[in-house]
Amino acid sequence: MVRKLGTCSIPDAVISWISDFLTSRKQRFKLGHDCFSQWGALPVGVNQGTKQGPWLFIIMINELDVSGTDLWQYVDFFANISATIRENQPSHIQAAVDILASRATVDRFQLNETRCKELLVNFNVKNPTSFDPVVVNGLPIDLVTSAKILGLLPARNRCTLT
């Protein structure tokens, strides 16, 4: 994360503050009135609901790109990948998903296969093409008939902070 922050022309003092924010954090849970769990270390991630979360996520995924596909990245921690597949041509979506999963591993992200969905739009209603299921983390993802796409970010210059 610190390396990626350095590529966005962020002042060193801000990078240091973010690094401190992300390291050596602990949390505990309130179980009832005057009853708390033990403090536990938070080795990864950003607390949900923080203002920094969406910005840090954008910086982490800023350089994601898979040739031959369209990739949309969102402020709500989601990304969509799509490709146009011509009639009688093979799908390369699995290869693209594998590239994203590999990059996620390098960046210490984990794709959550239960939140990943496949939406197949087929305009050839007389002779629809079938494809192998898309697999994430060794598991086939759900094929859905509709999906909401919210919070679209512009495709380029996502590192500009204002």
Side-chain angles (χ1 to χ4, degrees), residues 17 37 55 73 108 114 131 144 148 152 156:
W17 177 82
S37 69
W55 287 107
Q73 300 159 1
R108 297 184 181 171
T114 62
F131 298 100
V144 297
K148 291 183 181 179
L152 189 63
R156 297 287 176 239

Side-chain angles (χ1 to χ4, degrees), residues 73-76 78 80 148-153:
Q73 300 159 1
Y74 302 89
V75 295
D76 57 357
F78 291 97
N80 286 348
K148 291 183 181 179
I149 300 175
L150 304 172
L152 189 63
L153 287 175

Side-chain angles (χ1 to χ4, degrees), residues 65-83:
D65 188 27
V66 179
S67 64
T69 65
D70 292 316
L71 182 66
W72 297 286
Q73 300 159 1
Y74 302 89
V75 295
D76 57 357
F77 302 95
F78 291 97
N80 286 348
I81 187 168
S82 69

